[in-house]
Amino acid sequence: MLTLYSMPSSGNSYKVRLLLAFLGTPYDHIGGEYGSGLTDSDAFRALNPAGKLPLLKLEDGRLIAESNAILLYLARGTRFLPDDAYEQALCHQWMFFEQNSHETSIAVRAAILTYPQRAHLRTPDRLDPLLESGNRALSIMEAQLEKTPFLTGDAPTVADISLYGYTHSAEKGGFDMQRFPAVNAWLDRIAAEPGHVPLAFVPGAA
């Protein structure tokens, strides 16, 4: 069985749990919440020297780090990753955008406002640029989702799951989501997909 090391409150980890839920794939879950010390342990650093979650351990013991790399691995051969090379490239395009332009603004601002350990960063010179760049990323999504129901066309892909991870909770970062009606409609479509689970879901939890 697969083993997923993930941080329950992290959008990056949630992406992977969400895809596994959509696929109905069973897995063992090892949680490491912010400040738990899991990623600083020698045992975990031996698995992932970068000390980051999520981390997927395959049945044969091989490991895959980085949330979007894990998504692409799990989605192969499923409806969430097209076979066509161009359509795959569109998925990659949005997933690179997610890590370079979206997560770095929306997730970072939410983390600063959410985690007590980052309270010292709650200053205008830090928060204001993140609000501006995050709104710019959401506007790019809005423009696409005004044209197509999902980011790459008519059906959900790993690109949508990747962007959903932090967009669905963007209000935690102080983003006014009423400005983005097409994004909100897209969020509803993702949440209506069979197998959808919320951020708090981890297998085996009561």
Side-chain angles (χ1 to χ4, degrees):
M1 185 178 291
L2 298 172
T3 300
L4 178 66
Y5 298 79
S6 88
M7 179 177 171
S9 68
S10 163
N12 279 327
S13 291
Y14 173 46
K15 299 174 204 174
V16 180
R17 298 196 304 273
L18 181 57
L19 178 57
L20 287 166
F22 282 148
L23 297 175
T25 302
Y27 62 100
D28 290 325
H29 182 263
I30 299 176
E33 195 48 80
Y34 191 86
S36 68
L38 171 68
T39 56
D40 294 323
S41 68
D42 291 340
F44 185 83
R45 290 295 177 121
L47 300 175
N48 184 10
K52 293 172 59 179
L53 296 171
L55 178 69
L56 183 68
K57 185 177 182 181
L58 306 182
E59 294 92 337
D60 61 8
R62 290 181 296 170
L63 301 160
I64 305 174
E66 298 296 334
S67 59
N68 286 342
I70 297 171
L71 290 183
L72 289 168
Y73 174 82
L74 292 172
R76 74 201 192 287
T78 78
R79 67 187 180 98
F80 293 103
L81 186 63
D83 293 328
D84 179 78
Y86 175 74
E87 292 180 358
Q88 280 193 16
L90 292 181
C91 291
H92 295 165
Q93 169 186 300
W94 281 107
M95 295 168 86
F96 283 123
F97 165 83
E98 188 269 342
Q99 284 290 286
N100 289 320
S101 302
H102 183 281
E103 192 262 4
T104 52
S105 300
I106 293 172
V108 170
R109 199 173 199 274
I112 291 172
L113 294 174
T114 300
Y115 296 117
Q117 300 93 328
R118 302 191 183 186
H120 65 286
L121 298 174
R122 296 170 191 167
T123 59
D125 64 312
R126 179 67 169 147
L127 291 173
D128 291 351
L130 292 172
L131 184 64
E132 180 180 355
S133 57
N135 280 327
R136 185 164 56 249
L138 290 167
S139 295
I140 292 170
M141 294 176 64
E142 180 77 7
Q144 178 63 42
L145 293 166
E146 288 175 344
K147 296 183 289 187
T148 57
F150 297 97
L151 289 168
T152 65
D154 294 329
T157 68
V158 283
D160 298 281
I161 296 171
S162 176
L163 269 298
Y164 183 85
Y166 283 111
T167 305
H168 90 288
S169 58
E171 289 181 341
K172 292 181 180 179
F175 293 94
D176 179 8
M177 295 304 292
Q178 292 185 1
R179 295 177 51 186
F180 308 104
V183 171
N184 286 327
W186 166 79
L187 290 172
D188 290 341
R189 285 191 287 273
I190 299 294
E193 283 289 312
H196 176 274
V197 293
L199 173 67
F201 171 81
V202 292

